[in-house]
Structure formats: structure tokens, C-alpha cells
Amino acid sequence: MHDDLTKQDISKMQAELDHRRLELMPELLEEVKRTRAFGDLSENFEYKEAKRAKNRNASRIRYLENMIKSAHIIDSDSAADEVGLYDKVEIYIPEDDETNVIQVVTTIRTDPLKGLISRESPFGKAVLGKKAGDHIMVYVNDSYSYEAVIKSITKAEDDGSAPILQY
């Protein structure tokens, strides 16, 4: 199994991986040593927290390594009049009488509360490749779907501002 990621996603993940290996790991190991010297390990909260932090960091390192190793690199280019990755799209949803601006991103950069919608989500799948003025149906599940209208598309590129999800 692989995730479709852009070169920018991979470079952000690699930067985080390097930081965690080269800077954070030595600090956490030192903290484990320091707190171990406090004495009785069965009642040493600081030691337990230092070990927990070290283990969380090791887990995140494994996650990033696996994501990078198994990633399928995709291109974020799209036609000038079609919705592509990182384009800002103004969407009108008649059912709610609401207009929203969303940006379709890769799965590791999603944040629906900030309008960053995964390309793998029902909405992301429905809007990618469409043009301004298109009416789309978003199929959430077998029993629920809704209509949306693409009002406008503002071409954009990945500026690196969307952080990588923690998990």
C-alpha cells in the first residue's frame, strides 16, 4: 500500500525525519539518562515521561520512514481551467446555501477546519479535474450524497504552509 504524495510532501517529511533523528533523539536520550539517576524507577514520574517521549519520537521516525519508502510520487499539475492539487476552489453548496473556499491537498496535509480537503475524500475525488461552473455530486456513502457547484478556481501551488499531519 502506498500514499500518493508530492515531492514537496516528501521533502517536508524528510526534514522532519532529519530533525527528529539528529536533534530531538539525542536530547530525549539525554533526558532519559538524567531522569533515571533520580532513583527508584517504580515511582519516578519524570523517568516514565522521558521514556514515553523517546518512544513517541521513535514511533514517529518509523512512521515517516515507512511513508517516504512506500510513497508514490504524483505531480500537482493540472489544466489551466481544471481543479488540481493546491488550487483554491470556491464552492457553493445549495443544500446549506453556503459558499466555502477549499484547497485539495494530499492525504498527509489535510485540515478540513482550515479548508484543506484530502484528494482521497469523497469531496476531493468529486472536485478534482472539474471546471468552474460544473455541478458535482459528492457521494459520502451509499445513503447520502449532495450537490455542489464550482464557482471559481484560483490556480495555486504548494507553498509548504500546510503542515504534515501528526498521525
Side-chain angles (χ1 to χ4, degrees):
M1 187 92 197
H2 66 269
D3 283 292
D4 293 335
L5 305 174
T6 63
K7 289 179 183 176
Q8 177 85 349
D9 292 335
I10 298 294
S11 67
K12 284 182 76 91
M13 291 170 67
Q14 188 62 52
E16 181 183 344
L17 186 58
D18 291 344
H19 167 74
R20 287 182 175 278
R21 280 184 184 151
L22 303 174
E23 296 173 31
L24 196 55
M25 185 60 81
E27 291 172 13
L28 293 172
L29 289 172
E30 186 58 39
E31 183 65 8
V32 168
K33 280 187 210 175
R34 186 184 74 77
T35 56
R36 185 180 181 94
F38 290 172
D40 185 8
L41 298 182
S42 66
E43 296 181 15
N44 188 339
F45 177 77
E46 290 85 0
Y47 174 72
K48 289 178 184 175
E49 271 307 301
K51 290 278 290 182
R52 193 172 293 134
K54 180 185 85 62
N55 291 338
R56 274 193 307 265
N57 187 56
S59 175
R60 181 68 175 175
I61 287 171
R62 284 189 305 276
Y63 170 78
L64 291 169
E65 288 171 339
N66 288 332
M67 289 292 288
I68 291 169
K69 183 172 50 173
S70 65
H72 176 250
I73 306 296
I74 59 170
D75 195 4
S76 60
D77 291 342
S78 62
D81 61 344
E82 291 181 351
V83 176
L85 276 179
Y86 301 103
D87 294 343
K88 294 186 187 301
V89 184
E90 184 180 359
I91 299 289
Y92 174 68
I93 302 173
E95 184 177 301
D96 298 333
D97 193 29
E98 276 187 11
T99 301
N100 295 308
V101 175
I102 59 110
Q103 199 171 11
V104 181
V105 297
T106 56
T107 56
I108 64 165
R109 309 277 287 283
T110 62
D111 189 348
L113 297 177
K114 293 182 179 175
L116 302 173
I117 307 298
S118 168
R119 67 188 296 274
E120 300 294 326
S121 71
F123 197 87
K125 288 177 182 177
V127 77
L128 272 178
K130 301 299 189 277
K131 299 178 180 184
D134 284 355
H135 291 254
I136 59 173
M137 282 303 286
V138 179
Y139 297 95
V140 177
N141 58 37
D142 291 339
S143 61
Y144 181 69
S145 63
Y146 61 93
E147 181 184 11
V149 180
I150 300 174
K151 292 292 200 178
S152 67
I153 303 167
T154 305
K155 297 307 266 183
E157 293 190 17
D158 183 9
D159 60 4
S161 64
I164 292 182
L165 291 177
Q166 288 304 304
Y167 281 109

